[in-house]
Amino acid sequence: MTVSGMPPYDDNNIFARILRGEIPAKKVREDEWSLAFHDINPQAPTHVLVIPKGRYCSFADFSATASADEIAGFIRAVGTVARMLGLEAPGYRILANMGDHGGQEVPHLHIHLFAGRSLGRMIPGP
Ligand code: AMP
């Protein structure tokens, strides 16, 4: 089921629960600003999610209301995870679904990091 991606933030969403340690996740990297972990239902050989630690519903919410430090820390973390996993030479794709038409299902901002094969067209046809 898709979500609007707009506030108010739901503290019981699954990624909030992962951040609180209530639900396990296969962690890749963690720092002050972000947590990266493997997607439970991978769509590519490598499919990692990177989330900010702050309470942001979506990219729309984060880009409008996060501090400059949070934005810099989070975006740097996405690039660092890709570098750490050795994905820069073969290449990778990042994607953030926002709201109903974006297909967002979890109402906490997450960047998908896909890699491990040639990923084809940007948006698959209907
Ligand atoms: P989105 O459609 O962009 O909101 O994507 C949500 C993603 O979260 C999907 O790719 C799910 O497979 C993934 N997901 C849902 N629950 C978990 C979980 N407990 N651990 C890891 N990934 C999850």
Side-chain angles (χ1 to χ4, degrees):
M1 199 178 68
T2 58
V3 296
S4 76
M6 297 309 285
Y9 183 80
D10 171 12
D11 279 301
N12 284 320
N13 80 74
I14 193 119
F15 294 168
R17 299 184 67 198
I18 286 175
L19 280 170
R20 290 197 297 269
E22 294 169 7
I23 290 180
K26 220 171 134 193
K27 288 187 189 180
V28 174
R29 181 180 183 274
E30 184 169 9
D31 65 19
E32 178 183 359
W33 307 108
S34 69
L35 176 66
F37 52 94
H38 290 280
D39 196 290
I40 205 166
N41 183 21
Q43 304 297 309
T46 299
H47 184 175
V48 169
L49 301 173
V50 191
I51 66 175
K53 288 201 166 169
R55 299 165 71 256
Y56 297 102
C57 302
S58 65
F59 183 78
D61 184 20
F62 185 73
S63 59
T65 64
S67 70
D69 280 351
E70 286 176 299
I71 292 172
F74 177 62
I75 296 297
R76 280 199 194 284
V78 177
T80 301
V81 168
R83 196 172 317 118
M84 254 180 59
L85 296 177
L87 304 178
E88 287 184 344
Y92 59 87
R93 178 171 295 160
I94 59 173
L95 176 147
N97 295 320
M98 191 278 155
D100 284 327
H101 280 194
Q104 182 179 358
E105 293 190 335
V106 178
H108 181 112
L109 171 61
H110 47 287
I111 300 278
H112 295 260
L113 175 54
F114 300 108
R117 65 170 166 80
S118 183
L119 293 164
R121 293 171 58 198
M122 211 162 24
I123 298 180

